[in-house]
Amino acid sequence: MSAPAAALEDVSLELGLFSLRNIGLTLDQGEIWAILGPNGAGKSVTLETIAGFHRPHTGRIFIAGRDVTKLAPERRGVGLVFQNYGLFPHLTVAANVAFGLGSRGMDLAEALSRFGIAHLAERRPQDLSPGEKQRTALARALIREPGLFLFDEPFAALDARTRDSLREELGAFLRETGIPAIFVTHDHTDATVLADRVAIIKSGAIVQAGPVADVFQAPADSFVADFLGIENRLPARVVGRSGPYLRVAIGERLLQVQGGTTAAPAGDIFLCIRGEDIALSRSEAAISEANAEGAPINRLSMRVVRIIALGALCKVLLDGAFPLTACLTRRAARELGLVPGADAVVEIAPDSIHMLAVP
Amino acid sequence: MGEAMDAVKDDREATIRPQPEHSLRPHLAPPAAGVLLLSWFLGSLLLAFIVVPLLGLAISQSGGSLLHVAALPDVRQAILLSIEAALLATAVAALLGVPLAYALARASFRGQGLVAAVVDMPLAVPHTVAGIALLFVFGRNGVFGAPAAWLGLRFWGTVAGIVIAMLFVSAPYTVSAARIGFEAVDPRLEKVARTLGMGPWRVLWHVTLPLAWRSIATGLTLTSARAISEFGAVVILVYYPMTAPVKIYELFLRFGMHEAAGMATLLLAVSLVLLILFRHFAHGQERVSGYGR
């Protein structure tokens, strides 16, 4: 395996109220990492440490194969993009992009036209749309051919629709250039849409890291599950085992849960169920066919309490033996005729339920 | 069916319109007419109080008598001396005050509030008191005046003394305005500039100073205006050579109001022209300041 494109090795530092403890990350070429965490967890400090604004007390930082731990920010070869994009308000778009050019031989006009901002060259940043700002900021950073891109909450100040489109644009840009990137965010949607891997950070330490799908499917603890926006976290108790499945009780109600083979938990646990893993129908008959293979499926009768529309999706709040929240497309909800007060049959596959130890 | 869902219109297809940043700022709510009317009425009393005496002074003078006053060599000398000393004081305030403002804006340390209060102290000290205090330090037997004189730099009876007196009373304007300017510069812009390959000094020169320039220039304008009008501290530290305000005072004592009013009008005109030039120089250079404006 080739050397990583960038890496943090066991980085720790103290900075006033903030501290980082043993942060380790490894980026392959073209890989995008999201550092996800609540405000004050140390996300921005991590990014600024990589950029060179804080000297770690221990550990080392590598960018493009070089040990940059002791280098000043201007010698590290990172492209830094902040919320609101950090364009220089006293300079035109062209001057912003040319800012870092120095004696490099790259063609400014070519860079501007590549990003579709040539016609804005003489404008000031305050007269640009968010999309134009993002393109200017990316052009300005890219012209220095950075070994690593760093983004600090790039979409935090944008409205939802603009955020969606700029996120897609940024993703396309990063995949096209193949430059590895780390971005910090407190929005788990940013991570699912953009990142290959995600690190969840809490109080200056990484609590879980790995491929996005893995982390979202199997959060390591209750904090991560909560932070990733997993809709259902239910206190439960393991009561027995049948073959590969555990029998778990939520109150009176028994559920079959994929037990795994090693070290199955016992006693009190939490169950995590993602809203989109819950299937809904109006009658028992509709589903029984789908269950032909004989694998056990958890089937519950519930009542619709409320429906919350979220753009193309909606959340269906259900109640029965215990409260549950399901996510559907709005079209599916309409076709099922789900309205408050309606009865619904809920199906949850045993492998869609993730178990967490009680902290 | 699905009322809750239908209530939210499908807005995915809507085009994304560019949103200029300034449209995000809250608009000023129009105040009630009565409040505005009373504010204007009280405010115009103050405006009249400022304009009427100056205007009265100006129209009391005929063009002929102004030319006569302007032709007097000692009047011309005094006014030129005032301009020269004020510009020197402003230059020293810029050289020493702008770095202090930067330090106060960027560093955070214990006793920062105390330092800021010390900077503003000359504004609260009566100017004659300032003059006497300066005499203790820069006078013939002063702790700084005596050794400096030994090296050939005297503060009594010299332009250097006038500059010192002017600087003392006018420097706070530069420090506080520049500090506000530096504080308005987003440190993230400086960080971005660093990652774009600039060392800290070049960032200061190419990012921080241009963005804070408008506030710095306002401070320097106020400092120069305050310096040229200073009387109390100057008259105690340096009576001769006479600056314009001192000369006006002397004319007033020796020949009365009429003689003094001619030169006063002349100084007023010179000060206004300088103020306008300064403002033009300061604000014509740079239209934007701060981040996100």
Side-chain angles (χ1 to χ4, degrees):
Chain A
M1 197 185 115
S2 61
L8 273 75
E9 280 181 5
D10 203 31
V11 169
S12 298
L13 69 84
E14 298 274 335
L15 192 77
L17 293 174
F18 285 103
S19 67
L20 298 181
R21 283 176 287 130
N22 312 105
I23 301 287
L25 288 177
T26 305
L27 285 86
D28 288 331
Q29 200 58 47
E31 198 168 49
I32 305 173
W33 271 84
I35 297 181
L36 200 55
N39 289 331
K43 304 188 298 282
S44 295
V45 174
T46 305
L47 217 57
E48 292 186 351
T49 305
I50 300 170
F53 296 106
H54 312 298
R55 178 72 55 87
H57 295 176
T58 65
R60 293 194 297 170
I61 299 167
F62 296 88
I63 295 170
R66 283 189 309 155
D67 183 344
V68 299
T69 315
K70 293 190 164 61
L71 294 184
E74 58 269 27
R75 309 176 67 88
R76 292 198 174 194
V78 297
L80 182 60
V81 178
F82 279 112
Q83 182 182 335
N84 291 332
Y85 302 111
L87 300 176
F88 302 119
H90 62 302
L91 299 176
T92 62
V93 166
N96 262 281
V97 176
F99 192 87
L101 211 47
S103 55
R104 282 158 193 257
M106 271 183 79
D107 187 352
L108 177 64
E110 191 190 305
L112 291 175
S113 63
R114 176 180 169 186
F115 283 87
I117 50 175
H119 63 295
L120 306 170
E122 297 311 314
R123 293 253 197 106
R124 300 270 176 158
Q126 49 272 40
D127 300 326
L128 301 180
S129 73
E132 291 162 348
K133 282 185 191 173
Q134 173 166 297
R135 268 170 261 150
T136 306
L138 292 177
R140 183 177 66 177
L142 186 70
I143 211 164
R144 293 191 57 78
E145 300 168 326
L148 176 65
F149 265 113
L150 302 172
F151 297 91
D152 192 351
E153 302 265 11
F155 313 113
L158 304 176
D159 64 84
R161 242 184 304 144
T162 313
R163 182 186 349 225
D164 283 348
S165 99
L166 292 196
R167 199 153 47 193
E168 277 161 34
E169 198 176 304
L170 178 61
F173 164 79
L174 288 174
R175 285 174 217 293
E176 184 197 322
T177 59
I179 297 172
I182 300 175
F183 66 96
V184 306
T185 176
H186 62 267
D187 181 354
H188 56 79
T189 319
D190 287 347
T192 46
V193 174
L194 263 181
D196 304 307
R197 287 167 185 272
V198 61
I200 315 286
I201 190 168
K202 178 192 181 186
S203 309
I206 291 177
V207 289
Q208 189 175 6
V212 171
D214 293 2
V215 174
F216 275 74
Q217 198 57 54
D221 64 21
S222 186
F223 169 83
V224 176
D226 185 29
F227 197 75
L228 295 179
I230 292 176
E231 290 83 357
N232 301 288
R233 288 183 304 130
L234 305 160
R237 196 162 38 81
V238 179
V239 293
R241 175 180 273 278
S242 64
Y245 304 104
L246 288 177
R247 285 206 310 271
V248 176
I250 301 177
E252 300 287 290
R253 183 70 217 209
L254 282 181
L255 294 180
Q256 308 255 38
V257 178
Q258 191 91 45
T261 46
T262 54
D268 290 332
I269 56 166
F270 271 104
L271 295 185
C272 294
I273 308 169
R274 301 199 68 88
E276 64 268 30
D277 289 335
I278 295 171
L280 284 177
S281 65
R282 293 302 299 276
S283 66
E284 306 252 345
I287 314 183
S288 45
E289 290 173 51
N291 197 15
E293 294 156 37
I297 195 121
N298 299 294
R299 188 171 298 148
L300 307 156
S301 289
M302 292 194 145
R303 201 164 32 76
V304 177
V305 178
R306 250 178 86 196
I307 295 174
I308 302 167
L310 302 165
L313 300 176
C314 64
K315 281 190 178 183
V316 181
L317 275 51
L318 299 146
D319 204 5
F322 48 86
L324 206 60
T325 301
C327 288
L328 276 75
T329 62
R330 286 173 55 200
R331 178 191 162 97
R334 200 180 305 132
E335 284 177 352
L336 283 170
L338 295 178
V339 289
D343 290 324
V345 176
V346 169
E347 279 195 354
I348 310 165
D351 60 358
S352 294
I353 305 176
H354 176 67
M355 290 178 290
L356 282 182
V358 172
Chain B
M1 176 209 89
E3 283 172 29
M5 286 178 280
D6 294 334
V8 176
K9 291 230 170 63
D10 199 337
D11 50 17
R12 304 285 296 177
E13 285 91 18
T15 52
I16 293 164
R17 251 175 301 138
Q19 293 269 334
E21 201 147 273
H22 50 75
S23 73
L24 299 176
R25 271 188 286 161
H27 291 282
L28 285 175
V35 175
L36 201 57
L37 204 65
L38 184 64
S39 305
W40 267 117
F41 172 70
L42 295 174
S44 33
L45 288 183
L46 185 65
L47 278 178
F49 174 68
I50 294 170
V51 172
V52 169
L54 295 179
L55 215 56
L57 172 65
I59 58 175
S60 73
Q61 300 301 308
S62 68
S65 70
L66 276 185
L67 282 178
H68 167 73
V69 174
L72 297 173
D74 49 347
V75 167
R76 283 217 309 267
Q77 255 170 29
I79 287 178
L80 286 176
L81 177 63
S82 274
I83 295 173
E84 180 197 346
L87 289 179
L88 281 171
T90 306
V92 177
L95 190 70
L96 305 180
V98 174
L100 177 59
Y102 181 79
L104 283 171
R106 278 291 179 265
S108 72
F109 53 91
R110 283 166 68 104
Q112 196 166 12
L114 188 71
V115 175
V118 166
V119 170
D120 283 341
M121 221 148 68
L123 302 180
V125 174
H127 292 180
T128 45
V129 175
I132 289 169
L134 288 172
L135 211 51
F136 267 105
V137 177
F138 293 98
R140 224 175 283 267
N141 303 311
V143 289
F144 190 79
W150 191 72
L151 292 170
L153 179 63
R154 288 188 301 120
F155 293 98
W156 55 96
T158 63
V159 178
I162 298 169
V163 170
I164 289 290
M166 287 178 168
L167 182 66
F168 188 86
V169 297
S170 67
Y173 295 100
T174 290
V175 178
S176 29
R179 181 185 175 182
I180 290 168
F182 285 128
E183 280 170 351
V185 178
D186 190 334
R188 292 181 301 181
L189 291 178
E190 297 169 337
K191 286 178 177 162
V192 167
R194 292 291 300 279
T195 66
L196 291 171
M198 286 195 172
W201 291 105
R202 291 182 65 208
V203 169
L204 186 66
W205 184 251
H206 288 286
V207 176
T208 317
L209 279 174
L211 288 175
W213 168 245
R214 194 178 172 142
S215 292
I216 296 170
T218 301
L220 293 176
T221 306
L222 289 173
T223 289
S224 64
R226 188 71 203 77
I228 206 165
S229 61
E230 178 54 21
F231 172 73
V234 171
V235 84
I236 286 181
L237 201 62
V238 185
Y239 195 85
Y240 291 105
M242 282 186 186
T243 63
V246 177
K247 182 73 191 168
I248 290 170
Y249 183 64
E250 193 212 39
L251 289 176
F252 182 71
L253 290 185
R254 281 174 62 191
F255 305 109
M257 170 132 163
H258 188 72
E259 289 289 320
M263 186 177 174
T265 308
L266 208 58
L267 181 61
L268 179 66
V270 167
S271 304
L272 283 179
V273 167
L274 278 182
L275 190 68
I276 289 165
L277 283 179
F278 241 98
R279 283 189 72 88
H280 178 75
F281 169 70
H283 298 286
Q285 299 264 316
E286 197 55 66
R287 287 179 295 120
V288 212
S289 131
Y291 176 38
R293 264 191 240 164

